[in-house]
Amino acid sequence: MVTDDRRGDPRFLNAMTSLQLARLEGDEGTAFALWPDLTIAYVNPAWGRFAAANDGSPAVADRWSPGASILDAISQEVRPYFASRYRQCLRDRTDWNHDYECSSPDRYRVFRMRVFRAESVEALIVINSCRIDFQSVWEERPPLEEWYRPASGLILQCCDCRRFRRLTAKLVWDWVPAWVRQAPSRVSHGLCESCRAFYSLQ
């Protein structure tokens, strides 16, 4: 039973059966529910654990609690895509699966997002489960800023895959574990060619 209103809107919790809620609460993947306006209605315990493990701060989970818009947690460049897909699921009563990379500096990870309509309330349920997870083989070395920082001073990072664009080869975007762990100063965000192509083709 969820008693913490930082994790569940009472309107959502009261509409769920005890079995439905127990499944969400016990899921090892991060699970959340969205109202039709795409504000968060519920987050499961794994949501807080994942936020703390990957950011080191439980405050991240507190920030994205019931009442917050999920769109504010999504990079501006891909926000319209996710908004459109979430609303399509609500409107057409369809499910949606989406695979995405969410690696840490030390581990290569691919997750599957499953989105489906709740049975007993006008809301979406979103469950993110890890499909691939293994120790990375990327070489840890201090990044050479001169490879990435132009005269303007702004290093460009892909907001989706989190790789960094090289100055000397603009189609090359590198995974830089040190900067994923601790962002360099003065970073601008965009989409690399691969991620741009992926979202434009969806």
Side-chain angles (χ1 to χ4, degrees), residues 40 43 47-48 50-65 68 73:
I40 297 171
V43 296
W47 174 272
F50 186 84
N54 288 275
D55 183 79
S57 170
V60 172
D62 289 342
R63 181 179 178 194
W64 306 116
S65 58

Side-chain angles (χ1 to χ4, degrees), residues 175-193:
W175 180 258
V176 184
W179 283 350
V180 173
R181 186 177 290 111
Q182 177 68 53
S185 63
R186 303 191 66 201
V187 175
S188 178
H189 291 92
L191 284 172
C192 70
E193 286 72 19

